[in-house]
Amino acid sequence: MIAVKHLNKSYATRAGQVSALQDINLHIEKGEIFGIIGASGAGKSTLIRCLNLLERPDTGSVEVGGVAITDLKGKQLRLARRRIGMIFQQFNLLEAKTVYGNVAFPLRVAGFSKPETKRRVAEILELVGLSDKADVYPSQLSGGQKQRVGIARALAVEPAVLLSDEATSALDPQTTHSILELLQDINRKLQITIVLITHEMDVLRHICDNAAVIEGGRIVESGPVEQLFYRPESETAKQFVNIFNYYKDGNTQEKAVIMR
Amino acid sequence: MKEDMVELLWTGLQQTLYMVAWSSVFALLLGSLLGVTLVVTEKGGVLPAPRVNGLLSTAINGVRSIPFIILIVLLLPLSRLIVGTSLGPTAAIVSLSIGAAPFLGRIIESSLREVEPGKIEAAKSVGAHPFTIIAQVIIPEALPALVRGMTIAVISITEFTAVAGAIGAGGLGSLAIRFGYQRFRTDILIGTVLLIILIVQILQWTGDYVSRAIDRKRCKSE
Ligand SMILES: Nc1ncnc2c1ncn2[C@@H]1O[C@H](COP(=O)(O)OP(=O)(O)OP(=O)(O)O)[C@@H](O)[C@H]1O
Ligand SMILES: [Mg+2]
């Protein structure tokens, strides 16, 4: 579904060129939930933003659903982006619009008619469990509800891929759990491919099939999540597993819920 | 106090309101164009065009650094060209609009900049056209800030109007100078000052009310 080849990205800063990603190669299968884990500043956001070209790579290619995204611009790129939904850590909902308006936005952009939009919004709000909140403004919602709206907006035009940049990092453990369940549910029901960025091992273990570990802008390890867990090879993965085990042994109430 | 006072003040008030209203409309139109262009054309904006941005920014700074009273004089020929005279309230509207537009442009620019980049990215990620992003995301999201900024601008235009009165624009400003200053009519001077204070207060109240109403509708108390 997604193929990244020899991707490099650097930023021009006052201190000169700063390399954020080096020679990234990834292969993500259709219908899987793929995790990318790494420490702060490792390049996770940069990488996921290269997948829908919010950030344009310097060199290398990104292919999504057989389309070489990196070759597109203007209208072609806008059309391609409709096949790739995205959710964000800070939700990024429009405060001037109601929940309905937020979810309808991508539908309007894609040229859906009024009745179609209405039907589709109702359907998708049902899916994320917010049917009763259609006329509410985002500032009246809890974090978890906001992220559900974010998910509804991202899924409105039925994309083939969903990108998630730390979508649960601003949420408490219980809410995180419910959002992850929702993502898993969506993945099964809609056969959508999900790429999920996180710095929490919990999240990986909970819903991902395969994952890659990113360290200093390079992918240092990738494979099935089980393998990363039981035979971590990279320093980052080892550290994450250690932290995870430390908290697990702490056996707090909250963690117990997530582990269930 | 003399019996001509009420009539003088009434005419002055009408002229001032006339100038403030039309100058605000034109300055707002011009200023919105400048402000939106400044924001969208900058590096990383939705329609990046760094050269246009740099030129526009320099031009705005240029006009803004000219003292207003000198700007009016510079723009007199233009007034004559557009409205056929360089005297009176209608002529002053030309100078006032052009003089205030760069200021409004900056105010609108800074209001639009308050929109979190994440919201714009979210719109980009669903494949929205840059014009859609401007009309549906940037402007509506910045609306309360825009209203507050425009209130400041319209109040400034009211002040500029009084200054323009000094060189033949009419209105309360010219009353204050012709009668209050040159003929020692203290009653008229005080009358004009009170009226200008009243106008400014009403403008501020209205602006606060509207921006708060928008925030309240979106359920966001300051
Ligand atoms: N716009 C930018 N300009 C300059 N440098 C940037 C920019 N965006 C990211 N970087 C740099 O690129 C590197 C990777 O950043 P990125 O945001 O991808 O990290 P991350 O893994 O998402 O971190 P976090 O977990 O904190 O979100 C960092 O060193 C960062 O400072
Ligand atoms: Mg990040």
Side-chain angles (χ1 to χ4, degrees), chain A residues 49 52 54 78 81-82 84 86 88 92-97 105-106 109 137 139-140 153, chain B residues 116 118-119 121-130 132 136-137 140-141 217-220:
Chain A
R49 291 157 54 79
N52 63 354
L54 281 180
R78 290 198 293 276
R81 278 177 176 158
R82 290 177 200 166
I84 312 170
M86 190 168 197
F88 308 84
N92 295 338
L93 301 179
L94 303 178
E95 285 164 53
K97 295 191 194 312
F105 180 71
V109 164
Y137 283 87
S139 53
Q140 292 160 274
R153 173 174 66 183
Chain B
E116 289 122 41
K119 291 177 180 172
E121 290 210 322
K124 271 190 196 166
S125 77
V126 302
H129 189 275
T132 311
Q136 297 265 329
V137 178
E141 291 299 310
K217 181 165 165 249
R218 299 175 187 176
C219 277
K220 243 179 31 183

mmCIF file of all heavy atoms in Angstrom, chain A residues 49 52 54 78 81-82 84 86 88 92-97 105-106 109 137 139-140 153, chain B residues 116 118-119 121-130 132 136-137 140-141 217-220:
data_model
loop_
_atom_site.group_PDB
_atom_site.id
_atom_site.type_symbol
_atom_site.label_atom_id
_atom_site.label_comp_id
_atom_site.label_asym_id
_atom_site.label_seq_id
_atom_site.Cartn_x
_atom_site.Cartn_y
_atom_site.Cartn_z
ATOM 1 N N ARG A 49 4.724 13.100 7.831
ATOM 2 C CA ARG A 49 4.309 14.243 7.023
ATOM 3 C C ARG A 49 4.826 14.158 5.589
ATOM 4 O O ARG A 49 4.295 14.806 4.688
ATOM 5 C CB ARG A 49 4.749 15.546 7.685
ATOM 6 C CG ARG A 49 3.979 15.835 8.990
ATOM 7 C CD ARG A 49 4.752 16.755 9.916
ATOM 8 N NE ARG A 49 5.143 17.965 9.226
ATOM 9 C CZ ARG A 49 4.318 18.976 9.018
ATOM 10 N NH1 ARG A 49 3.108 18.928 9.488
ATOM 11 N NH2 ARG A 49 4.721 20.029 8.353
ATOM 12 N N ASN A 52 2.125 12.290 3.110
ATOM 13 C CA ASN A 52 1.088 13.012 2.354
ATOM 14 C C ASN A 52 1.618 14.350 1.837
ATOM 15 O O ASN A 52 0.859 15.247 1.492
ATOM 16 C CB ASN A 52 -0.193 13.190 3.175
ATOM 17 C CG ASN A 52 0.008 14.024 4.421
ATOM 18 O OD1 ASN A 52 1.138 14.395 4.741
ATOM 19 N ND2 ASN A 52 -1.068 14.333 5.109
ATOM 20 N N LEU A 54 2.900 16.869 3.243
ATOM 21 C CA LEU A 54 2.832 18.131 3.991
ATOM 22 C C LEU A 54 4.258 18.652 4.086
ATOM 23 O O LEU A 54 4.513 19.843 4.220
ATOM 24 C CB LEU A 54 2.268 17.898 5.394
ATOM 25 C CG LEU A 54 0.751 17.740 5.495
ATOM 26 C CD1 LEU A 54 0.332 17.509 6.940
ATOM 27 C CD2 LEU A 54 0.027 18.943 4.914
ATOM 28 N N ARG A 78 -3.665 17.421 -4.571
ATOM 29 C CA ARG A 78 -4.860 17.588 -3.735
ATOM 30 C C ARG A 78 -5.788 16.387 -3.881
ATOM 31 O O ARG A 78 -6.365 15.915 -2.907
ATOM 32 C CB ARG A 78 -5.596 18.881 -4.099
ATOM 33 C CG ARG A 78 -4.836 20.141 -3.687
ATOM 34 C CD ARG A 78 -5.741 21.352 -3.652
ATOM 35 N NE ARG A 78 -6.231 21.741 -4.957
ATOM 36 C CZ ARG A 78 -5.564 22.500 -5.809
ATOM 37 N NH1 ARG A 78 -4.371 22.968 -5.484
ATOM 38 N NH2 ARG A 78 -6.083 22.819 -6.975
ATOM 39 N N ARG A 81 -4.326 13.480 -1.955
ATOM 40 C CA ARG A 81 -4.446 13.628 -0.506
ATOM 41 C C ARG A 81 -5.809 13.175 0.010
ATOM 42 O O ARG A 81 -5.953 12.836 1.172
ATOM 43 C CB ARG A 81 -4.196 15.078 -0.092
ATOM 44 C CG ARG A 81 -2.723 15.399 0.023
ATOM 45 C CD ARG A 81 -2.523 16.856 0.356
ATOM 46 N NE ARG A 81 -1.120 17.170 0.575
ATOM 47 C CZ ARG A 81 -0.612 18.386 0.463
ATOM 48 N NH1 ARG A 81 -1.388 19.393 0.147
ATOM 49 N NH2 ARG A 81 0.668 18.591 0.686
ATOM 50 N N ARG A 82 -6.806 13.202 -0.860
ATOM 51 C CA ARG A 82 -8.133 12.747 -0.435
ATOM 52 C C ARG A 82 -8.155 11.254 -0.160
ATOM 53 O O ARG A 82 -9.074 10.748 0.455
ATOM 54 C CB ARG A 82 -9.182 13.102 -1.494
ATOM 55 C CG ARG A 82 -9.415 14.591 -1.526
ATOM 56 C CD ARG A 82 -10.389 14.994 -2.595
ATOM 57 N NE ARG A 82 -10.204 16.414 -2.865
ATOM 58 C CZ ARG A 82 -10.689 17.049 -3.899
ATOM 59 N NH1 ARG A 82 -11.405 16.395 -4.788
ATOM 60 N NH2 ARG A 82 -10.473 18.329 -4.056
ATOM 61 N N ILE A 84 -5.770 9.906 1.528
ATOM 62 C CA ILE A 84 -4.939 9.745 2.722
ATOM 63 C C ILE A 84 -5.464 10.642 3.841
ATOM 64 O O ILE A 84 -5.294 11.853 3.807
ATOM 65 C CB ILE A 84 -3.472 10.145 2.419
ATOM 66 C CG1 ILE A 84 -2.988 9.489 1.119
ATOM 67 C CG2 ILE A 84 -2.570 9.782 3.586
ATOM 68 C CD1 ILE A 84 -1.654 10.011 0.632
ATOM 69 N N MET A 86 -5.649 12.107 7.789
ATOM 70 C CA MET A 86 -4.624 12.330 8.813
ATOM 71 C C MET A 86 -5.256 12.819 10.105
ATOM 72 O O MET A 86 -6.169 13.639 10.083
ATOM 73 C CB MET A 86 -3.598 13.344 8.321
ATOM 74 C CG MET A 86 -2.373 13.461 9.221
ATOM 75 S SD MET A 86 -1.066 14.396 8.402
ATOM 76 C CE MET A 86 0.359 13.952 9.382
ATOM 77 N N PHE A 88 -4.217 14.230 14.226
ATOM 78 C CA PHE A 88 -3.109 14.958 14.845
ATOM 79 C C PHE A 88 -3.162 14.913 16.366
ATOM 80 O O PHE A 88 -4.226 14.759 16.956
ATOM 81 C CB PHE A 88 -3.163 16.432 14.408
ATOM 82 C CG PHE A 88 -3.245 16.632 12.928
ATOM 83 C CD1 PHE A 88 -4.469 16.570 12.264
ATOM 84 C CD2 PHE A 88 -2.108 16.888 12.182
ATOM 85 C CE1 PHE A 88 -4.555 16.749 10.893
ATOM 86 C CE2 PHE A 88 -2.189 17.077 10.806
ATOM 87 C CZ PHE A 88 -3.404 17.010 10.159
ATOM 88 N N ASN A 92 -6.524 19.677 15.902
ATOM 89 C CA ASN A 92 -6.636 20.622 14.786
ATOM 90 C C ASN A 92 -8.036 20.733 14.199
ATOM 91 O O ASN A 92 -8.215 20.790 12.987
ATOM 92 C CB ASN A 92 -5.650 20.269 13.671
ATOM 93 C CG ASN A 92 -4.218 20.417 14.122
ATOM 94 O OD1 ASN A 92 -3.936 21.144 15.082
ATOM 95 N ND2 ASN A 92 -3.310 19.738 13.464
ATOM 96 N N LEU A 93 -9.030 20.762 15.070
ATOM 97 C CA LEU A 93 -10.402 20.969 14.581
ATOM 98 C C LEU A 93 -10.630 22.451 14.326
ATOM 99 O O LEU A 93 -9.942 23.302 14.892
ATOM 100 C CB LEU A 93 -11.398 20.468 15.634
ATOM 101 C CG LEU A 93 -11.270 18.992 16.001
ATOM 102 C CD1 LEU A 93 -12.301 18.632 17.065
ATOM 103 C CD2 LEU A 93 -11.424 18.107 14.773
ATOM 104 N N LEU A 94 -11.600 22.758 13.467
ATOM 105 C CA LEU A 94 -11.932 24.150 13.194
ATOM 106 C C LEU A 94 -12.925 24.630 14.242
ATOM 107 O O LEU A 94 -14.011 24.083 14.380
ATOM 108 C CB LEU A 94 -12.523 24.281 11.791
ATOM 109 C CG LEU A 94 -11.616 23.750 10.675
ATOM 110 C CD1 LEU A 94 -12.291 23.866 9.324
ATOM 111 C CD2 LEU A 94 -10.282 24.486 10.674
ATOM 112 N N GLU A 95 -12.527 25.662 14.977
ATOM 113 C CA GLU A 95 -13.372 26.133 16.075
ATOM 114 C C GLU A 95 -14.561 26.930 15.586
ATOM 115 O O GLU A 95 -15.525 27.132 16.307
ATOM 116 C CB GLU A 95 -12.548 26.990 17.043
ATOM 117 C CG GLU A 95 -11.630 26.152 17.908
ATOM 118 C CD GLU A 95 -10.556 26.999 18.561
ATOM 119 O OE1 GLU A 95 -10.917 27.995 19.207
ATOM 120 O OE2 GLU A 95 -9.368 26.662 18.405
ATOM 121 N N ALA A 96 -14.475 27.412 14.343
ATOM 122 C CA ALA A 96 -15.580 28.199 13.794
ATOM 123 C C ALA A 96 -16.703 27.305 13.287
ATOM 124 O O ALA A 96 -17.763 27.790 12.936
ATOM 125 C CB ALA A 96 -15.076 29.092 12.674
ATOM 126 N N LYS A 97 -16.449 26.011 13.219
ATOM 127 C CA LYS A 97 -17.455 25.099 12.691
ATOM 128 C C LYS A 97 -17.903 24.117 13.765
ATOM 129 O O LYS A 97 -17.139 23.760 14.651
ATOM 130 C CB LYS A 97 -16.876 24.316 11.507
ATOM 131 C CG LYS A 97 -16.526 25.191 10.300
ATOM 132 C CD LYS A 97 -16.221 24.295 9.120
ATOM 133 C CE LYS A 97 -15.544 25.031 7.977
ATOM 134 N NZ LYS A 97 -16.166 26.282 7.588
ATOM 135 N N PHE A 105 -16.482 19.227 6.116
ATOM 136 C CA PHE A 105 -15.489 20.000 5.373
ATOM 137 C C PHE A 105 -14.796 19.210 4.247
ATOM 138 O O PHE A 105 -14.831 19.638 3.083
ATOM 139 C CB PHE A 105 -14.476 20.609 6.349
ATOM 140 C CG PHE A 105 -13.409 21.429 5.694
ATOM 141 C CD1 PHE A 105 -13.708 22.667 5.126
ATOM 142 C CD2 PHE A 105 -12.097 20.975 5.624
ATOM 143 C CE1 PHE A 105 -12.728 23.424 4.515
ATOM 144 C CE2 PHE A 105 -11.105 21.725 5.011
ATOM 145 C CZ PHE A 105 -11.427 22.953 4.449
ATOM 146 N N PRO A 106 -14.204 18.058 4.563
ATOM 147 C CA PRO A 106 -13.560 17.300 3.469
ATOM 148 C C PRO A 106 -14.542 16.836 2.401
ATOM 149 O O PRO A 106 -14.158 16.698 1.233
ATOM 150 C CB PRO A 106 -12.921 16.098 4.175
ATOM 151 C CG PRO A 106 -13.443 16.079 5.548
ATOM 152 C CD PRO A 106 -13.991 17.418 5.874
ATOM 153 N N VAL A 109 -15.102 19.779 0.193
ATOM 154 C CA VAL A 109 -13.888 19.931 -0.617
ATOM 155 C C VAL A 109 -13.910 18.938 -1.777
ATOM 156 O O VAL A 109 -13.537 19.255 -2.902
ATOM 157 C CB VAL A 109 -12.628 19.729 0.263
ATOM 158 C CG1 VAL A 109 -11.399 19.480 -0.595
ATOM 159 C CG2 VAL A 109 -12.410 20.931 1.163
ATOM 160 N N TYR A 137 -20.047 22.786 19.181
ATOM 161 C CA TYR A 137 -18.749 23.315 18.743
ATOM 162 C C TYR A 137 -17.624 22.567 19.460
ATOM 163 O O TYR A 137 -17.792 22.142 20.608
ATOM 164 C CB TYR A 137 -18.666 24.817 19.034
ATOM 165 C CG TYR A 137 -19.437 25.638 18.038
ATOM 166 C CD1 TYR A 137 -20.793 25.903 18.226
ATOM 167 C CD2 TYR A 137 -18.829 26.111 16.887
ATOM 168 C CE1 TYR A 137 -21.519 26.630 17.293
ATOM 169 C CE2 TYR A 137 -19.536 26.842 15.949
ATOM 170 C CZ TYR A 137 -20.880 27.106 16.154
ATOM 171 O OH TYR A 137 -21.577 27.821 15.229
ATOM 172 N N SER A 139 -15.026 23.328 21.076
ATOM 173 C CA SER A 139 -14.543 23.736 22.402
ATOM 174 C C SER A 139 -15.409 23.184 23.530
ATOM 175 O O SER A 139 -15.038 23.271 24.695
ATOM 176 C CB SER A 139 -14.440 25.260 22.489
ATOM 177 O OG SER A 139 -15.646 25.841 22.122
ATOM 178 N N GLN A 140 -16.568 22.618 23.187
ATOM 179 C CA GLN A 140 -17.406 22.027 24.224
ATOM 180 C C GLN A 140 -17.147 20.531 24.397
ATOM 181 O O GLN A 140 -17.851 19.878 25.158
ATOM 182 C CB GLN A 140 -18.887 22.224 23.880
ATOM 183 C CG GLN A 140 -19.322 23.674 23.947
ATOM 184 C CD GLN A 140 -20.594 23.896 23.164
ATOM 185 O OE1 GLN A 140 -20.578 24.133 21.964
ATOM 186 N NE2 GLN A 140 -21.718 23.799 23.849
ATOM 187 N N ARG A 153 -13.459 13.224 10.643
ATOM 188 C CA ARG A 153 -13.088 14.106 9.542
ATOM 189 C C ARG A 153 -12.115 13.405 8.595
ATOM 190 O O ARG A 153 -12.265 13.473 7.367
ATOM 191 C CB ARG A 153 -12.446 15.391 10.087
ATOM 192 C CG ARG A 153 -11.875 16.284 8.992
ATOM 193 C CD ARG A 153 -11.386 17.608 9.513
ATOM 194 N NE ARG A 153 -10.231 17.461 10.396
ATOM 195 C CZ ARG A 153 -9.656 18.469 11.033
ATOM 196 N NH1 ARG A 153 -10.137 19.697 10.903
ATOM 197 N NH2 ARG A 153 -8.614 18.270 11.814
ATOM 198 N N GLU B 116 -3.835 28.742 14.269
ATOM 199 C CA GLU B 116 -2.800 27.722 14.462
ATOM 200 C C GLU B 116 -2.478 27.042 13.137
ATOM 201 O O GLU B 116 -3.377 26.626 12.411
ATOM 202 C CB GLU B 116 -3.265 26.663 15.457
ATOM 203 C CG GLU B 116 -3.339 27.158 16.875
ATOM 204 C CD GLU B 116 -4.725 26.996 17.453
ATOM 205 O OE1 GLU B 116 -5.353 25.952 17.200
ATOM 206 O OE2 GLU B 116 -5.190 27.923 18.134
ATOM 207 N N GLY B 118 -1.589 24.170 12.554
ATOM 208 C CA GLY B 118 -2.151 22.817 12.509
ATOM 209 C C GLY B 118 -3.506 22.764 11.820
ATOM 210 O O GLY B 118 -3.816 21.806 11.110
ATOM 211 N N LYS B 119 -4.324 23.798 12.024
ATOM 212 C CA LYS B 119 -5.644 23.815 11.395
ATOM 213 C C LYS B 119 -5.504 23.912 9.877
ATOM 214 O O LYS B 119 -6.250 23.293 9.127
ATOM 215 C CB LYS B 119 -6.452 25.006 11.900
ATOM 216 C CG LYS B 119 -6.863 24.881 13.355
ATOM 217 C CD LYS B 119 -7.589 26.128 13.796
ATOM 218 C CE LYS B 119 -8.002 26.031 15.247
ATOM 219 N NZ LYS B 119 -8.547 27.323 15.727
ATOM 220 N N GLU B 121 -2.904 22.906 8.192
ATOM 221 C CA GLU B 121 -2.377 21.618 7.737
ATOM 222 C C GLU B 121 -3.477 20.578 7.630
ATOM 223 O O GLU B 121 -3.497 19.770 6.695
ATOM 224 C CB GLU B 121 -1.321 21.119 8.715
ATOM 225 C CG GLU B 121 -0.071 21.946 8.665
ATOM 226 C CD GLU B 121 1.142 21.132 9.012
ATOM 227 O OE1 GLU B 121 1.026 20.282 9.900
ATOM 228 O OE2 GLU B 121 2.180 21.349 8.370
ATOM 229 N N ALA B 122 -4.390 20.601 8.600
ATOM 230 C CA ALA B 122 -5.500 19.642 8.563
ATOM 231 C C ALA B 122 -6.310 19.851 7.278
ATOM 232 O O ALA B 122 -6.705 18.890 6.620
ATOM 233 C CB ALA B 122 -6.378 19.802 9.784
ATOM 234 N N ALA B 123 -6.527 21.109 6.919
ATOM 235 C CA ALA B 123 -7.276 21.407 5.698
ATOM 236 C C ALA B 123 -6.481 20.970 4.463
ATOM 237 O O ALA B 123 -7.033 20.407 3.520
ATOM 238 C CB ALA B 123 -7.598 22.893 5.626
ATOM 239 N N LYS B 124 -5.163 21.208 4.499
ATOM 240 C CA LYS B 124 -4.318 20.763 3.387
ATOM 241 C C LYS B 124 -4.398 19.253 3.249
ATOM 242 O O LYS B 124 -4.433 18.718 2.147
ATOM 243 C CB LYS B 124 -2.858 21.128 3.663
ATOM 244 C CG LYS B 124 -2.431 22.485 3.178
ATOM 245 C CD LYS B 124 -0.906 22.574 3.301
ATOM 246 C CE LYS B 124 -0.442 24.007 3.218
ATOM 247 N NZ LYS B 124 0.947 24.154 3.661
ATOM 248 N N SER B 125 -4.418 18.563 4.392
ATOM 249 C CA SER B 125 -4.354 17.102 4.358
ATOM 250 C C SER B 125 -5.626 16.477 3.783
ATOM 251 O O SER B 125 -5.608 15.322 3.401
ATOM 252 C CB SER B 125 -4.058 16.533 5.745
ATOM 253 O OG SER B 125 -5.210 16.558 6.544
ATOM 254 N N VAL B 126 -6.738 17.233 3.753
ATOM 255 C CA VAL B 126 -7.922 16.667 3.098
ATOM 256 C C VAL B 126 -8.008 17.120 1.639
ATOM 257 O O VAL B 126 -8.998 16.884 0.952
ATOM 258 C CB VAL B 126 -9.249 16.991 3.835
ATOM 259 C CG1 VAL B 126 -9.203 16.490 5.246
ATOM 260 C CG2 VAL B 126 -9.575 18.472 3.772
ATOM 261 N N GLY B 127 -6.968 17.807 1.167
ATOM 262 C CA GLY B 127 -6.907 18.186 -0.237
ATOM 263 C C GLY B 127 -7.636 19.480 -0.576
ATOM 264 O O GLY B 127 -8.081 19.658 -1.700
ATOM 265 N N ALA B 128 -7.751 20.382 0.397
ATOM 266 C CA ALA B 128 -8.447 21.641 0.136
ATOM 267 C C ALA B 128 -7.590 22.574 -0.729
ATOM 268 O O ALA B 128 -6.370 22.620 -0.580
ATOM 269 C CB ALA B 128 -8.806 22.328 1.443
ATOM 270 N N HIS B 129 -8.255 23.307 -1.619
ATOM 271 C CA HIS B 129 -7.587 24.294 -2.461
ATOM 272 C C HIS B 129 -7.167 25.491 -1.590
ATOM 273 O O HIS B 129 -7.865 25.804 -0.627
ATOM 274 C CB HIS B 129 -8.574 24.744 -3.546
ATOM 275 C CG HIS B 129 -7.945 25.598 -4.604
ATOM 276 N ND1 HIS B 129 -7.798 26.957 -4.447
ATOM 277 C CD2 HIS B 129 -7.422 25.289 -5.812
ATOM 278 C CE1 HIS B 129 -7.211 27.451 -5.528
ATOM 279 N NE2 HIS B 129 -6.977 26.455 -6.370
ATOM 280 N N PRO B 130 -6.047 26.143 -1.931
ATOM 281 C CA PRO B 130 -5.627 27.293 -1.123
ATOM 282 C C PRO B 130 -6.729 28.336 -0.911
ATOM 283 O O PRO B 130 -6.862 28.872 0.186
ATOM 284 C CB PRO B 130 -4.475 27.875 -1.937
ATOM 285 C CG PRO B 130 -3.909 26.714 -2.676
ATOM 286 C CD PRO B 130 -5.051 25.795 -2.954
ATOM 287 N N THR B 132 -9.926 27.821 -0.802
ATOM 288 C CA THR B 132 -10.853 27.253 0.176
ATOM 289 C C THR B 132 -10.288 27.416 1.583
ATOM 290 O O THR B 132 -11.013 27.752 2.522
ATOM 291 C CB THR B 132 -11.070 25.744 -0.097
ATOM 292 O OG1 THR B 132 -11.369 25.570 -1.472
ATOM 293 C CG2 THR B 132 -12.187 25.183 0.758
ATOM 294 N N GLN B 136 -12.440 29.350 4.121
ATOM 295 C CA GLN B 136 -13.162 28.475 5.049
ATOM 296 C C GLN B 136 -12.413 28.213 6.348
ATOM 297 O O GLN B 136 -12.999 27.781 7.321
ATOM 298 C CB GLN B 136 -13.418 27.120 4.378
ATOM 299 C CG GLN B 136 -14.287 27.191 3.156
ATOM 300 C CD GLN B 136 -15.722 26.906 3.535
ATOM 301 O OE1 GLN B 136 -16.007 26.159 4.446
ATOM 302 N NE2 GLN B 136 -16.640 27.547 2.837
ATOM 303 N N VAL B 137 -11.103 28.439 6.324
ATOM 304 C CA VAL B 137 -10.330 28.126 7.523
ATOM 305 C C VAL B 137 -9.706 29.394 8.113
ATOM 306 O O VAL B 137 -10.048 29.800 9.223
ATOM 307 C CB VAL B 137 -9.227 27.081 7.227
ATOM 308 C CG1 VAL B 137 -8.403 26.795 8.473
ATOM 309 C CG2 VAL B 137 -9.854 25.800 6.689
ATOM 310 N N PRO B 140 -12.459 32.515 8.887
ATOM 311 C CA PRO B 140 -13.408 32.221 9.978
ATOM 312 C C PRO B 140 -12.730 31.946 11.318
ATOM 313 O O PRO B 140 -13.212 32.384 12.359
ATOM 314 C CB PRO B 140 -14.137 30.961 9.494
ATOM 315 C CG PRO B 140 -13.889 30.867 8.046
ATOM 316 C CD PRO B 140 -12.617 31.582 7.762
ATOM 317 N N GLU B 141 -11.589 31.254 11.286
ATOM 318 C CA GLU B 141 -10.929 30.941 12.552
ATOM 319 C C GLU B 141 -10.389 32.203 13.216
ATOM 320 O O GLU B 141 -10.304 32.285 14.429
ATOM 321 C CB GLU B 141 -9.785 29.939 12.328
ATOM 322 C CG GLU B 141 -10.235 28.543 11.928
ATOM 323 C CD GLU B 141 -11.104 27.864 12.979
ATOM 324 O OE1 GLU B 141 -10.711 27.832 14.153
ATOM 325 O OE2 GLU B 141 -12.195 27.370 12.622
ATOM 326 N N LYS B 217 -20.713 32.221 20.879
ATOM 327 C CA LYS B 217 -21.369 31.248 20.018
ATOM 328 C C LYS B 217 -20.508 29.987 19.914
ATOM 329 O O LYS B 217 -21.002 28.868 19.920
ATOM 330 C CB LYS B 217 -21.572 31.860 18.627
ATOM 331 C CG LYS B 217 -22.264 30.919 17.672
ATOM 332 C CD LYS B 217 -22.792 31.647 16.444
ATOM 333 C CE LYS B 217 -23.140 30.661 15.362
ATOM 334 N NZ LYS B 217 -22.250 30.715 14.202
ATOM 335 N N ARG B 218 -19.188 30.181 19.853
ATOM 336 C CA ARG B 218 -18.301 29.023 19.771
ATOM 337 C C ARG B 218 -17.953 28.503 21.158
ATOM 338 O O ARG B 218 -17.063 27.688 21.324
ATOM 339 C CB ARG B 218 -17.015 29.423 19.041
ATOM 340 C CG ARG B 218 -17.287 29.880 17.635
ATOM 341 C CD ARG B 218 -16.019 30.384 16.967
ATOM 342 N NE ARG B 218 -16.333 30.979 15.671
ATOM 343 C CZ ARG B 218 -15.438 31.573 14.907
ATOM 344 N NH1 ARG B 218 -14.187 31.650 15.306
ATOM 345 N NH2 ARG B 218 -15.791 32.091 13.753
ATOM 346 N N CYS B 219 -18.653 29.072 22.172
ATOM 347 C CA CYS B 219 -18.479 28.634 23.553
ATOM 348 C C CYS B 219 -17.057 28.750 24.046
ATOM 349 O O CYS B 219 -16.522 27.843 24.644
ATOM 350 C CB CYS B 219 -18.958 27.214 23.737
ATOM 351 S SG CYS B 219 -20.705 27.178 23.991
ATOM 352 N N LYS B 220 -16.453 29.863 23.751
ATOM 353 C CA LYS B 220 -15.110 30.087 24.241
ATOM 354 C C LYS B 220 -15.105 31.392 24.994
ATOM 355 O O LYS B 220 -15.133 32.458 24.409
ATOM 356 C CB LYS B 220 -14.141 30.168 23.063
ATOM 357 C CG LYS B 220 -13.116 29.075 23.090
ATOM 358 C CD LYS B 220 -12.194 29.158 21.913
ATOM 359 C CE LYS B 220 -11.941 30.547 21.406
ATOM 360 N NZ LYS B 220 -11.115 30.595 20.226
#
